[in-house]
Amino acid sequence: MSVAGHFERVALIGFGLIGGSIARAAKLQGVAGEIITTARSEKTRARVAELGIVDRVVASNAEAVKEADLVILCIPVGACGPVAAEIAPHLKPGAVVSDVGSVKGAIVRDMAPHLPANVHFVPAHPVAGTENSGPDSGFAELFINRWCILTPPDGVDAGAIDHLRAFWAALGAKVEIMTPDHHDRVLAITSHLPHLIAYTIVGTADELAQVTESEVIKFSAGGFRDFTRIAASDPTMWRDIFLSNKDAVLDMLGTFTEDLSKLTRAIRRGDGEALFDHFTRTRAIRRGIVDIGQDSAAPDFGRPLPQIKKP
């Protein structure tokens, strides 16, 4: 009896945190008969083979996707268009082609024109991650109780969407479907802008001449430590995200700048009531995030794996 969401052959283009976590979780949950992956460097390919997580590691993206039933691009957003063009002639008819990028409008724009009509293009964004990267950074529990957003273009086969939804659900994710543009606006405020702020604050602290680097590290409070964790994320990935989703990010950044100006004026005027009201409202938002299970004291690594479902 097959497992819901099972694909006989899965090709992962790229094997970092997300690709490595997909491979580990898919193997444990029995939703991939065979997993083939690529990695850019010979050193990385050797390390992936040494880890023994996948069935085959190959140097060519074209070789990886041959006869694959599910192809997932686990690479920076800016590389997805060229790779789609590279693999297009080698895709199996009926294959599901997806990705894991944090921007979806650009993915649809850059990938869709290259893909043949006989494959099913279902972009995806697992909203999960850590600041770590590389083949050793992944872990099977990464997606448990995290959202995975699917953004299929108009006209995509419903069966293919359901199949990919079941695949991600088997890895532990909660799956939502929305349009690419709506996704990009939502993620601009919930993910992209916070990363931009984190990069800015950490950079500002580094530039303050009166505070040495050792003092910044020595006296880091919890808030600054959280910012440094976010700012340690992969620079290539985040460069591509900001360039690919610049309109939504700039829109949200404008709103944020206006709100920051209001707080600046309140501090300058000594308006404690305005500050208290603002902090009370934002505290309630934080409690709401915890209440719906999107954050907890439990670490991501070591969370219990979901029970797989069999039809």
Side-chain angles (χ1 to χ4, degrees), residues 9-16 18-20 22-23 34-40 44-49 51 53-61 63-65 68 70 72-75 135:
R9 179 175 291 180
V10 176
L12 302 174
I13 307 300
F15 200 87
I18 301 298
I22 291 172
E34 180 184 15
I35 299 178
I36 304 163
T37 190
T38 63
R40 285 185 300 176
T44 303
R45 291 193 295 272
R47 178 54 183 159
V48 174
L51 289 170
I53 300 165
V54 301
D55 298 286
R56 284 196 289 142
V57 186
V58 298
S60 164
N61 293 331
E63 181 182 356
V65 305
L70 172 62
I72 304 179
L73 275 60
C74 307
I75 54 179

Side-chain angles (χ1 to χ4, degrees), residues 4 16 18 22 41 46 58 60-61 79 86 96 104 106 120 136 169-170 182 189 191 196 246 248-249 251:
I18 301 298
I22 291 172
S41 72
V58 298
S60 164
N61 293 331
E86 177 189 357
V96 176
K104 303 273 54 102
H120 309 294
D136 291 276
H182 185 67
I189 187 62
S191 176
L196 186 64
K246 64 180 181 180
V249 169
D251 186 21

